[in-house]
Amino acid sequence: MKEYNIGIIPGDGTGPEVVAEAVKAMKAISDIGGPRFNLTYYDIGGERYLKKGELLPESVAKELSEMDSSLLGAIGHPDVKPGILEKNILLKLRFDLDLYINLRPVVLLPGVYTPIKDKGPEDIDFVIVRENTEGLYAGAGGTLKKGTADEVAVQESINTRKGVERCIRYAFEYCKKRNKGRKLTLCGKTNVLTYAFDLWERAFNEVGTEYSDIEKDYSHVDAICMWMVKNPEFFDVIVTDNLFGDIITDLGAMIQGGMGIAAGGNIKPEGTGVFEPIGGSAPKYTGLNKINPMAAIYAVQMMLDHLDEGDAAEKLQTAIKKVAKNDLKSMGAGRMGYGTKEVGDLVVNYIVKG
Ligand code: IPM
Ligand code: MN
């Protein structure tokens, strides 16, 4: 059996609790004859920053870049000013490791509650491909005369042909491999952001000529927000820039049942990936055995998929589906009908029993 080197970053708040359950699921996958995982733990996060003043040491970034994949719980601490950990750990990881794809499935599993009336699992089943290293997240811009009445703040969106094209190409390939609706929707704002999305649109059309059997579609970001709620069945794969992707994936997380189940991957397609539940550190639930570990477990499923361990990914997916359908009362923290650890046990049980 194959063995993978996996970095584990439990992080802050409820991160360690959900990661513990995800690791349990990984061990169960190994136990039934699946791949083996050689885990290395890293204590980066708000706690380490407060204790040692360290954010993402070069040596850690380098080691993570050499892992087959990593799993991240959550980074965020109530005693650290907003922006520091985000910029110097989360975004730095994405930039330094060149994890240029942020992949976020929006899949409503049977038995999971969606706030959208009259829509079910057959309607909510699409994937958002978010560019993860450029756009407004690149940090270009600056301020002048800060704190005065004449203050100026400029924040620029960086879009490189290379960066946009590789993201679009990945989205077409993903759409082809997924082989469901065979439709790729570009989400932009060509009517207002006439420089940035002109580049996106041209790259989309040009790369699209290589994918004659995939339907090409375009929607403005504001309209996408409308359609995701009104007709989510329109979508198969959506590709978009960094900020729009950030926004529409939170909307996506809500229609698929909330942060308890929503996972994502920060991926370098030809290299490593950092997989995570997207819900954050949830300080108010920390240490209470109340947080839902399903999203972290789902992140492991995405990791297995990225490692090309199709069989193992499928087995885990089946277990996740069974727990969602048969056991959990809700995906919400404290409302699952089980504690965090018990939900992990349920998943393990289905993995072992099949
Ligand atoms: C996400 C998060 C991050 C982002 C923050 C925490 C920097 O919201 O992964 O979606 O904006 O990308
Ligand atoms: Mn976000």
Side-chain angles (χ1 to χ4, degrees):
M1 262 302 150
K2 268 190 109 164
E3 178 155 339
Y4 296 99
N5 292 322
I6 305 293
I8 304 283
I9 308 162
D12 302 312
T14 50
E17 289 168 66
V18 296
V19 161
E21 301 316 307
V23 167
K24 246 161 60 178
M26 288 167 79
K27 295 209 164 115
I29 289 288
S30 304
D31 286 346
I32 58 161
R36 310 207 65 80
F37 305 102
N38 175 21
L39 309 182
T40 308
Y41 280 78
Y42 295 91
D43 67 351
I44 54 176
E47 284 296 337
R48 174 165 172 162
Y49 173 61
L50 289 172
K51 275 195 205 123
K52 304 188 190 162
E54 284 173 358
L55 289 152
L56 178 65
E58 281 305 312
S59 58
V60 173
K62 181 162 186 298
E63 284 184 33
L64 289 173
S65 75
E66 289 162 358
M67 292 288 162
D68 292 309
S69 273
S70 297
L71 178 69
L72 184 151
I75 304 274
H77 200 290
D79 301 336
V80 181
K81 200 173 135 222
I84 295 177
L85 303 173
E86 289 86 342
K87 186 163 182 222
N88 298 290
I89 298 182
L90 291 172
L91 300 184
K92 194 167 159 45
L93 256 183
R94 295 174 188 178
F95 295 156
D96 285 8
L97 274 53
D98 200 25
L99 308 171
Y100 64 87
I101 297 297
N102 193 316
L103 190 67
R104 296 198 172 167
V106 180
V107 177
L108 179 67
L109 299 178
V112 176
Y113 168 80
T114 177
I116 306 190
K117 197 165 169 266
D118 300 332
K119 297 290 176 190
E122 61 291 352
D123 304 303
I124 301 175
D125 182 0
F126 60 96
V127 178
I128 300 173
V129 176
R130 162 186 173 188
E131 201 291 320
N132 212 26
T133 53
E134 301 193 340
L136 277 157
Y137 278 69
T143 57
L144 282 174
K145 303 181 184 173
K146 192 166 173 177
T148 73
D150 297 322
E151 179 162 351
V152 180
V154 178
Q155 193 103 43
E156 289 163 315
S157 175
I158 305 295
N159 298 265
T160 69
R161 172 69 199 215
K162 198 173 143 193
V164 169
E165 187 169 323
R166 66 183 182 173
C167 174
I168 287 173
R169 194 171 291 282
Y170 175 86
F172 272 111
E173 282 297 323
Y174 188 89
C175 189
K176 189 168 140 184
K177 189 171 160 218
R178 172 174 149 93
N179 199 21
K180 281 222 168 117
R182 295 184 82 82
K183 171 174 163 185
L184 181 62
T185 303
L186 171 64
C187 162
K189 191 71 189 170
T190 52
N191 54 345
V192 176
L193 305 180
T194 49
Y195 307 125
F197 281 100
D198 175 58
L199 191 162
W200 274 84
E201 196 172 39
R202 275 182 291 115
F204 184 75
N205 291 336
E206 283 164 31
V207 174
T209 60
E210 297 167 35
Y211 297 89
S212 52
D213 53 346
I214 288 179
E215 186 189 340
K216 287 119 207 147
D217 177 39
Y218 172 81
S219 199
H220 295 320
V221 62
D222 46 349
I224 283 239
C225 291
M226 228 167 56
W227 298 127
M228 272 172 68
V229 173
K230 189 168 184 293
N231 295 98
E233 69 278 7
F234 282 178
F235 301 111
D236 178 30
V237 179
I238 299 175
V239 62
T240 192
D241 83 347
N242 211 337
L243 183 66
F244 290 168
D246 179 48
I247 297 166
I248 68 170
T249 53
D250 267 22
L251 178 53
M254 282 302 125
I255 69 171
Q256 75 174 113
M259 291 303 181
I261 186 74
N266 301 276
I267 300 172
K268 182 174 176 125
E270 60 279 21
T272 195
V274 177
F275 297 84
E276 60 185 355
I278 71 173
S281 60
K284 78 172 186 190
Y285 292 114
T286 302
L288 301 178
N289 196 39
K290 281 190 173 171
I291 197 79
N292 188 347
M294 291 288 272
I297 296 168
Y298 200 57
V300 171
Q301 192 274 341
M302 293 184 73
M303 177 195 288
L304 292 169
D305 206 39
H306 175 64
L307 295 171
D308 239 345
E309 290 291 342
D311 266 5
E314 177 100 35
K315 288 201 173 100
L316 184 52
Q317 172 85 329
T318 305
I320 290 170
K321 277 188 174 161
K322 285 188 177 161
V323 174
K325 186 156 188 273
N326 304 342
D327 302 301
L328 298 200
K329 283 205 200 116
S330 155
M331 287 292 149
R335 286 181 281 127
M336 304 173 295
Y338 295 90
T340 308
K341 292 193 181 114
E342 290 67 40
V343 174
D345 292 341
L346 288 167
V347 174
V348 166
N349 205 33
Y350 286 120
I351 293 172
V352 176
K353 288 202 189 137

